[in-house]
Amino acid sequence: MKLIQKNIVPIVFIILCTIGFQYSGLSWIFFANDLMTRLARNSFLVISLIIPVLAGMGLNFGIVLGAMAGQFAAFITVVHNLTGIGGFFAACVMAIPFAILFGWLTGILFNKAKGKEMITGLILGFFANGIYQLVCLIFIGWLIPISNKALLLPSGVGFVNTLDLKIWQYAIDKFYVFRARGIDIPVLKYLNNINIPVLTLTIVVLLCIAVVLLFRTKLGQDFRAVGQNRHIAEIAGIKVDRVRIIAVIFSTVLAAWGQLIFLQNIGNVQVYGSHVQVGTFAVAALLIGGATVSKATIGQALLGTVLFHALFIVSPLAGKNLMGSAQVGEYFRVFIAYGVIGIALALHAWQRLVKKQ
Amino acid sequence: MKRFAKVMFAVALVLALGTAAFAAPKIGIMTGTVSQGEEEYRAGEEMVAKYGEDRVIHVTYPDKFMDEQETTISQVMAMASDPDLKAIVICQGVPGTAAAIDKVKEVRDDIAFIVGTVHEEPYMMAGKADILYEIDQPARGSSIIEKAKGMGAKTFIHYSFPRHMSYPLLATRRDIMEKTCKELGIEFVFVNAPDPTGEGGVAGAQQFILEDAPRQIEKYGPDTAFFSTNCSMQEPLIKSVVKGKAIYPEQCCPSPFHALPNALGLKVENKGDVPYILNAIEEKVKELEMEGRIATWTAPITMNFIRAGAAYAMGYANGEIKDKADIETAKKLIQSFAGGEPKVVVTPVSHEDAEKATPTATYITVKVPFNGAFLSQTVKVEVKQGDVRIRPFDAEKAQNFLMVVGESIIFGK
């Protein structure tokens, strides 16, 4: 009973996804492949949220800035035509200075708004989007010269709204694709014919290991100490503000890389839109995995990514088939997906209440 | 019981295989929901009714298409996972379409893509989709201003926001509008409105228009023409224009069905009945004493993109169109729809004229009532298509990107 109570959010989601899958009429192969793609492209972003949670800063909606850093790096590779896996990793390297700068600024802001990091991060995302649009729409081609005119609007100022990333699409996803065949074991045979992007998943696994190892170092312990109680940490001689800024910088850099992994799979970048949803979706996925604003694990991040995207795959078609109308399917999907995130938050609150009693 | 289950399974299997073997080829249609604009969705429904539920899969892209591109991709991929599906029509081609087409082509190269109203970069999209239909936005840059001038405009207000101004075609149109305004001596005013996909949502954008348009009329006087680049802003804009007796030259997506009926409080029962709605708007405009102040195109253009697109897709699926990018057929199809309903023009002529005329022209003799008797008279009968112009976006690099200009109508004139 306690186990159910503890994991009520993921359980509700598993049930919903199963029912949704039944009604969606999708084939298992399609569903599994789509889910695998989405897991590979989103899990890195979700994991990037863990460090600030453990450092007591709640869910970092500021990862939108990390995504912007990643996109700036992507633009540089497109302008200079850096192709293939080399181009992708060049983008990862170039994203670091941007991400450190953005993370540092975010961290300073968060230190001024202790206890309200989440709402601050959310609004900061909107604000940063304004500046981002200013840079990409007005400064590019005017203050920042771009040699390749095909990337600019006809007036010569500002990026066009979609940039093709063919130059390094699938740089890591298609580096080595593993496809199981001929597994006969009853339960495992469902894994046949699923395209597994080995390198991407390896990178995600490495990241997971790195996060685990990080929390064994002195810095990691400082994160935890600050997360548990700022005042005690302060008395113990930890420079709380500094540790918090470092936590945000880590998160922002990881988000920048996460966004690059996302983009290399999608294959083009919506200059003015690709980063907008990053914060909310990653946060939603983490919450669905069973994490709370003060506690999150890697397992929860991965489980949450799987469940959140499984629901997004099945719910439009399930809604359409259940309601018999294409657009009701869309409303149904929005209602279910966001409604359940609301429920997830309510259930967390309820769990906390039960714990207190 | 077990045996019964086995038999049932066998029957199900036979049925499944049977339908698979004889299944008719299908097409997929992806439209928006009715939240932003109703026309595309209704046209999608119309296609399902026309070709049958077993031949057409109709799905929608998310309302928040800017944020949820992954859903757009998944929806298109889910359609393509049906082996009978041969062509997909996407209207509007919201951001995410390019990625979705790429993803489908990785697994299935045989599917033809027809995209209407292209949001993403035109050259890139021309390389991805097979046929693209778009309203001729650059041409509208001058035609809307000329029309507004003819309607008596002294000032031209252009409502838009940064996201739309990052669409190459819309940005070009704005620049041409500004230039044409200068040439014709009209004051061009760019007003920044909130983005309906932003924090405030559609409601915020609509409220802004309701508040701002009267302010502008007060400032520049009623001889001000209003234009907005966004669908959801049209209805509040028309309402404000009617209230302030200003000028409304065209919607973002010109059509007699787009926002006009709702804003004017007209009831539309049949979305396909063009002459009816043109007539109804005409009467309402006269009633409101707005003659010569409101205009649009006679044909509902985005609906026609879907109608022509679906006809093309069906032709390709049935094997009647061999080439995926058969530009000539695509042109003919949009021509046949975009002209609106064919108009029958009847002109009385003399017998001598009829005899002198070429035998191919249609002349008939009709009996018309005259003073209690019937008088026989010769008339010339012509079937006129609406005036539609089609040109490629780029005659060299993007021939499959077709840009369409429809026929204009100014109500009450």
Side-chain angles (χ1 to χ4, degrees):
Chain A
M1 190 59 204
K2 226 174 172 184
L3 196 76
I4 294 178
Q5 207 176 53
K6 222 174 142 192
N7 296 308
I8 184 76
V9 180
I11 290 170
V12 168
F13 260 80
I14 290 171
I15 295 170
L16 269 173
C17 289
T18 319
I19 299 172
F21 179 71
Q22 288 299 324
Y23 279 103
S24 70
L26 287 170
S27 72
W28 165 254
I29 287 294
F30 173 80
F31 172 76
N33 268 317
D34 202 7
L35 189 59
M36 178 53 79
T37 321
R38 281 169 173 247
L39 179 68
R41 81 182 159 212
N42 286 293
S43 46
F44 206 99
L45 278 167
V46 181
I47 294 169
S48 77
L49 289 171
I50 291 177
I51 296 173
V53 168
L54 294 180
M57 304 169 83
L59 301 158
N60 181 16
F61 283 97
I63 59 167
V64 173
L65 277 83
M68 290 176 189
Q71 282 172 204
F72 280 131
F75 299 155
I76 297 174
T77 59
V78 172
V79 170
H80 293 282
N81 201 27
L82 305 173
T83 57
I85 196 162
F88 174 73
F89 283 111
C92 289
V93 173
M94 282 187 285
I96 297 173
F98 287 114
I100 290 178
L101 174 70
F102 297 165
W104 179 62
L105 293 172
T106 312
I108 292 174
L109 182 68
F110 282 2
N111 280 340
K112 301 258 186 266
K114 285 193 186 106
K116 301 181 206 65
E117 288 92 349
M118 286 205 273
I119 186 74
T120 311
L122 198 63
I123 302 298
L124 176 69
F126 294 146
F127 168 71
N129 195 28
I131 298 192
Y132 176 91
Q133 289 193 353
L134 182 75
V135 171
C136 289
L137 208 52
I138 308 286
F139 289 174
I140 293 288
W142 176 43
L143 296 177
I144 308 163
I146 300 287
S147 50
N148 188 352
K149 294 284 174 254
L151 305 176
L152 300 179
L153 286 171
S155 60
V157 175
F159 276 129
V160 290
N161 59 345
T162 316
L163 291 180
D164 209 332
L165 284 182
K166 272 276 167 296
I167 51 168
W168 42 261
Q169 189 182 19
Y170 298 130
I172 57 171
D173 277 357
K174 294 247 164 107
F175 183 76
Y176 176 66
V177 178
F178 175 74
R179 199 170 184 182
R181 267 174 236 269
I183 300 177
D184 287 334
I185 309 155
V187 183
L188 293 180
K189 73 174 178 205
Y190 289 107
L191 295 176
N192 279 334
N193 292 322
I194 297 173
N195 298 317
I196 301 170
V198 177
L199 184 57
T200 318
L201 292 188
T202 312
I203 290 174
V204 171
V205 170
L206 285 177
L207 173 72
C208 296
I209 295 170
V211 171
V212 171
L213 290 179
L214 175 72
F215 279 97
R216 299 213 176 136
T217 61
K218 166 79 175 64
L219 183 65
Q221 291 306 322
D222 288 355
F223 285 153
R224 261 189 221 281
V226 172
Q228 269 153 14
N229 195 316
R230 275 206 307 272
H231 298 291
I232 294 175
E234 187 97 59
I235 292 161
I238 297 170
K239 286 179 180 147
V240 173
D241 283 3
R242 187 169 160 273
V243 168
R244 282 164 54 97
I245 291 178
I246 293 173
V248 177
I249 290 178
F250 263 109
S251 174
T252 314
V253 172
L254 292 180
W257 291 345
Q259 181 72 357
L260 286 169
I261 292 179
F262 180 90
L263 293 177
Q264 62 89 31
N265 179 277
I266 295 278
N268 62 47
V269 48
Q270 299 297 332
V271 177
Y272 306 98
S274 281
H275 53 279
V276 180
Q277 90 291 3
V278 163
T280 18
F281 281 12
V283 164
L286 191 62
L287 286 176
I288 287 162
T292 65
V293 289
S294 55
K295 196 174 158 294
T297 63
I298 286 169
Q300 286 167 338
L302 294 177
L303 176 66
T305 315
V306 169
L307 291 178
F308 181 69
H309 287 283
L311 193 70
F312 262 43
I313 296 167
V314 297
S315 59
L317 290 165
K320 183 187 166 191
N321 292 343
L322 273 173
M323 311 287 177
S325 156
Q327 68 168 346
V328 179
E330 163 62 16
Y331 296 142
F332 178 79
R333 182 186 70 82
V334 173
F335 163 73
I336 289 288
Y338 292 106
V340 180
I341 294 164
I343 294 175
L345 285 168
L347 287 173
H348 286 312
W350 171 65
Q351 275 172 347
R352 225 171 346 183
L353 209 68
V354 168
K355 229 187 220 168
K356 265 188 194 161
Q357 282 167 354
Chain B
M1 193 59 208
K2 214 171 168 187
R3 209 163 143 197
F4 177 70
K6 267 185 188 167
V7 170
M8 284 309 286
F9 179 72
V11 170
L13 199 69
V14 167
L15 277 176
L17 288 176
T19 42
F22 299 108
K26 290 182 194 168
I27 64 167
I29 296 177
M30 183 182 224
T31 67
T33 67
V34 297
S35 302
Q36 277 227 15
E38 204 178 331
E39 293 191 284
E40 292 109 39
Y41 184 77
R42 295 289 173 231
E45 281 186 329
E46 189 188 305
M47 293 305 107
V48 175
K50 183 176 170 188
Y51 296 107
E53 252 176 68
D54 52 331
R55 304 281 316 263
V56 181
I57 307 172
H58 180 200
V59 298
T60 51
Y61 50 76
D63 282 343
K64 293 170 71 171
F65 54 80
M66 285 307 287
D67 297 353
E68 296 179 7
Q69 281 177 51
E70 286 191 278
T71 307
T72 307
I73 297 171
S74 280
Q75 288 280 65
V76 177
M77 289 287 282
M79 283 198 279
S81 71
D82 186 328
D84 296 324
L85 190 108
K86 297 286 178 247
I88 294 177
V89 183
I90 303 174
C91 184
Q92 305 181 4
V94 293
T97 307
I101 296 176
D102 274 347
K103 299 262 167 207
V104 169
K105 292 213 163 150
E106 274 163 35
V107 275
R108 286 192 60 190
D109 204 20
D110 59 322
I111 293 182
F113 279 94
I114 300 101
V115 180
T117 313
V118 182
H119 289 217
E120 291 169 287
E121 213 278 315
Y123 283 108
M124 185 188 77
M125 282 304 290
K128 294 192 194 292
D130 298 296
I131 294 290
L132 302 102
Y133 291 126
E134 173 62 282
I135 302 166
D136 195 340
Q137 307 294 8
R140 286 177 80 205
S142 50
S143 71
I144 292 177
I145 302 294
E146 281 157 14
K147 187 159 46 155
K149 171 92 183 170
M151 292 163 83
K154 297 195 172 81
T155 313
F156 188 87
I157 308 251
H158 182 286
Y159 285 112
S160 195
F161 38 86
R163 181 173 61 85
H164 264 185
M165 288 302 100
S166 73
Y167 290 13
L169 287 173
L170 302 192
T172 314
R173 184 179 67 194
R174 191 237 2 239
D175 295 343
I176 296 174
M177 280 180 166
E178 202 170 350
K179 205 179 106 225
T180 318
C181 273
K182 219 174 250 170
E183 285 165 12
L184 297 179
I186 297 176
E187 187 179 354
F188 180 87
V189 184
F190 183 93
V191 181
N192 199 54
D195 187 339
T197 65
E199 320 82 72
V202 170
Q206 293 185 331
Q207 194 181 347
F208 172 82
I209 295 292
L210 280 176
E211 287 167 4
D212 189 71
R215 267 202 298 267
Q216 305 290 359
I217 297 175
E218 203 174 303
K219 189 173 170 191
Y220 295 104
D223 284 339
T224 304
F226 284 88
F227 180 76
S228 163
T229 57
N230 177 263
C231 289
S232 67
M233 292 181 188
Q234 304 303 323
E235 212 176 297
L237 189 57
I238 297 169
K239 281 185 183 156
S240 308
V241 164
V242 169
K243 223 177 187 176
K245 301 269 184 262
I247 296 167
Y248 185 78
E250 235 163 77
Q251 298 101 321
C252 50
C253 315
S255 155
F257 295 108
H258 186 30
L260 269 170
N262 283 346
L264 299 176
L266 299 171
K267 212 168 145 196
V268 185
E269 267 149 20
N270 181 3
K271 278 266 163 188
D273 198 347
V274 175
Y276 163 78
I277 194 70
L278 289 178
N279 210 7
I281 297 175
E282 177 89 18
E283 270 165 29
K284 189 79 192 176
V285 163
K286 278 182 185 154
E287 188 190 312
L288 292 166
E289 294 174 354
M290 287 287 288
E291 288 102 331
R293 309 289 271 184
I294 290 180
T296 185
W297 287 2
T298 49
I301 199 79
T302 37
M303 291 179 95
N304 289 338
F305 287 163
I306 293 175
R307 288 176 187 143
Y312 185 92
M314 216 25 125
Y316 176 77
N318 289 338
E320 291 143 17
I321 298 171
K322 297 279 178 276
D323 188 7
K324 255 199 255 179
D326 187 343
I327 297 164
E328 285 314 308
T329 310
K331 268 188 194 169
K332 268 181 215 147
L333 280 170
I334 193 71
Q335 191 102 42
S336 70
F337 286 104
E341 299 297 303
K343 280 180 261 177
V344 181
V345 184
V346 182
T347 7
V349 286
S350 65
H351 284 287
E352 294 82 57
D353 282 349
E355 271 160 26
K356 267 189 272 171
T358 47
T360 46
T362 318
Y363 293 91
I364 51 170
T365 307
V366 288
K367 286 187 191 301
V368 281
F370 183 74
N371 282 351
F374 285 97
L375 203 70
S376 72
Q377 191 173 30
T378 309
V379 292
K380 184 179 174 191
V381 182
E382 281 178 291
V383 180
K384 253 193 170 172
Q385 283 287 351
D387 176 28
V388 185
R389 277 175 290 152
I390 306 169
R391 66 177 177 115
F393 171 66
D394 184 324
E396 279 172 37
K397 287 184 229 157
Q399 288 178 344
N400 57 345
F401 195 111
L402 302 173
M403 299 208 293
V404 184
V405 179
E407 187 186 18
S408 259
I409 175 169
I410 300 175
F411 293 102
K413 246 190 163 176

